[in-house]
Amino acid sequence: MASKLMLQAASYVRSKDFRSYLMSTHFWGPVANWGIPLAALADIKKDPSIISGKMTIALLIYSALFMRFAIKVKPRNMLLFACHFTNESAQLIQGYRLVNHE
């Protein structure tokens, strides 16, 4: 069972469809976007006095809009959705930390 799954995965990675996906904005857009949630996750351990309330709200709205876009666009872009879901979660944590700090 596992070997069959591995063979199917290896076959897909060698396919023209996968190479086409790797050269599209559906892949590189979200990959480039991962810097935002990774930075927010890295900032979770830093002092809450550096958190900007306005920027946190802006990023919450931005990620909520792009999560909706990632679901509505055809074909669905689940990599973009995952990126913005992670950012939304990280920004909610940052917002909570800011409120508790002030």
Side-chain angles (χ1 to χ4, degrees):
M1 179 72 171
S3 63
K4 183 179 178 184
L5 186 63
M6 292 298 289
L7 287 173
Q8 287 176 337
S11 174
Y12 179 68
V13 168
R14 289 189 300 264
S15 73
K16 184 179 179 181
D17 287 339
F18 184 72
R19 285 191 308 271
S20 176
Y21 173 69
L22 284 180
M23 299 303 157
S24 73
T25 56
H26 273 264
F27 177 75
W28 289 108
V31 167
N33 233 352
W34 271 100
I36 298 169
L38 291 176
L41 291 170
D43 287 348
I44 287 176
K45 294 192 178 204
K46 293 183 181 174
D47 187 63
S49 64
I50 66 169
I51 299 171
S52 166
K54 290 179 183 177
M55 191 63 174
T56 300
I57 290 169
L59 286 169
L60 282 167
I61 294 167
Y62 164 77
S63 283
L65 291 173
F66 271 88
M67 277 194 298
R68 183 180 186 281
F69 170 78
I71 295 295
K72 294 291 184 180
V73 70
K74 298 293 181 202
R76 286 185 176 165
N77 193 336
M78 296 312 287
L79 186 56
L80 183 65
F81 181 84
C83 172
H84 285 290
F85 181 82
T86 303
N87 189 45
E88 190 79 13
S89 302
Q91 296 304 326
L92 284 170
I93 292 168
Q94 294 291 61
Y96 176 78
R97 291 179 64 226
L98 178 66
V99 169
N100 281 343
H101 176 70
E102 293 179 346

